[in-house]
Amino acid sequence: MTRLPASSSVSAAPERPGRPAPALPAALTGLLRALIPHACPGCGQQLGRAAGLCAPCRAGLHVRLETHSPLRATPAPHLITLGRYAGVNRRAVRELKFTGARDLAGVLGGALADGLPAHWNIQAVIPVPLHAARQRQRGFNQADLLARAIARPHGLPVHAALTRTLATRQQARQHAADRDNLHGAFTVNARELPRGPLLLVDDVLTTGRTLIACRDALLQAGVAPDDLSYAVIAR
């Protein structure tokens, strides 16, 4: 397992048509953060002008290049993470998903971007989609935010190549015997499916069922198994 250093900054990238308006200027955003007290989700200390995580928690982010997961039958480097779904990682994921702390996507996605192996030669990034009903409820898709933060420093396109057609409960909150069958839960948008090596992005890898269902949909659409790599915050 290889550990790579993580960076705390993510460069800006142009928004695609139909996306939310660009963020406020950095100076104004920093001033607002300083005026409105907000605790770091990682450790509880005040963030001040920092975005997402405080400096010590950012310094603790280390990218892991993993060779074993349910996503691949034979051991080979195919997955980057920031470690276990515990501690700072777990608290940050929950803050991003359930309180709408979107600054965290830039911090966590930027850390993953720094550990993206160049030899993977990734040509495009694909986020795992939410079902339309859940995205309306939440107001955003955390995997899409992470995908854009990973893609931005590398100048990579982000493609909405998958659609979630089956609404299911959150897999991580269910007992093993009760987990939903995700076979056929995703369809591929052929017009959005690029060629070449692809990076599939989600927030966490727990049971693996969601990413496996996405992987299977892409394989059935003609993507070669060796052209798929993966990135998650934690597992």
Side-chain angles (χ1 to χ4, degrees):
M1 185 176 294
T2 305
R3 291 177 179 269
L4 302 172
S7 168
S8 61
S9 63
V10 177
S11 59
E15 298 288 334
R16 295 176 67 183
R19 297 287 173 184
L24 293 172
L28 179 56
T29 303
L31 178 60
L32 290 174
R33 291 194 190 103
L35 293 174
I36 303 173
H38 188 69
C40 170
C43 64
Q45 297 297 315
Q46 288 300 309
L47 281 174
R49 289 179 177 265
L53 290 173
C54 68
C57 285
R58 289 180 183 224
L61 299 178
H62 300 285
V63 177
R64 298 182 180 188
L65 179 58
E66 309 215 16
T67 59
H68 295 79
S69 86
L71 302 170
R72 192 178 179 100
T74 56
H78 65 281
L79 170 69
I80 55 172
T81 79
L82 296 179
R84 294 181 56 209
Y85 186 52
V88 172
N89 287 341
R90 183 177 186 275
R91 291 190 290 271
V93 168
R94 293 182 62 82
E95 187 84 357
L96 170 61
K97 291 176 68 170
F98 303 123
T99 73
R102 302 188 193 193
D103 281 350
L104 283 164
V107 175
L108 301 169
L112 288 167
D114 285 344
L116 184 64
H119 67 269
W120 283 2
N121 194 30
I122 298 298
Q123 298 299 299
V125 183
I126 299 175
V128 170
L130 294 176
H131 188 269
R134 180 164 291 170
Q135 181 149 346
R136 284 194 299 270
Q137 180 185 46
R138 187 171 292 170
F140 64 97
N141 176 9
Q142 69 278 358
D144 181 74
L145 298 178
L146 288 166
R148 293 180 183 283
I150 294 170
R152 194 174 297 128
H154 299 283
L156 295 171
V158 175
H159 286 263
L162 291 166
T163 298
R164 189 163 190 156
T165 56
L166 178 64
T168 59
R169 298 165 293 172
Q170 291 186 11
Q171 300 292 296
R173 293 188 173 185
Q174 301 176 52
H175 294 295
D178 298 328
R179 285 174 182 147
D180 296 321
N181 182 0
L182 294 179
H183 178 71
F186 298 91
T187 59
V188 174
N189 309 320
R191 292 183 179 180
E192 284 282 344
L193 185 60
R195 295 182 178 182
L198 306 174
L199 185 71
L200 189 57
V201 177
D202 204 3
D203 52 357
V204 295
L205 173 67
T206 49
T207 66
R209 294 190 182 198
T210 300
L211 277 168
I212 288 171
C214 291
R215 177 203 67 189
D216 290 348
L218 291 169
L219 294 178
Q220 290 172 10
V223 176
D226 288 342
D227 278 346
L228 281 176
S229 299
Y230 308 86
V232 298
I233 298 169
R235 59 175 304 195

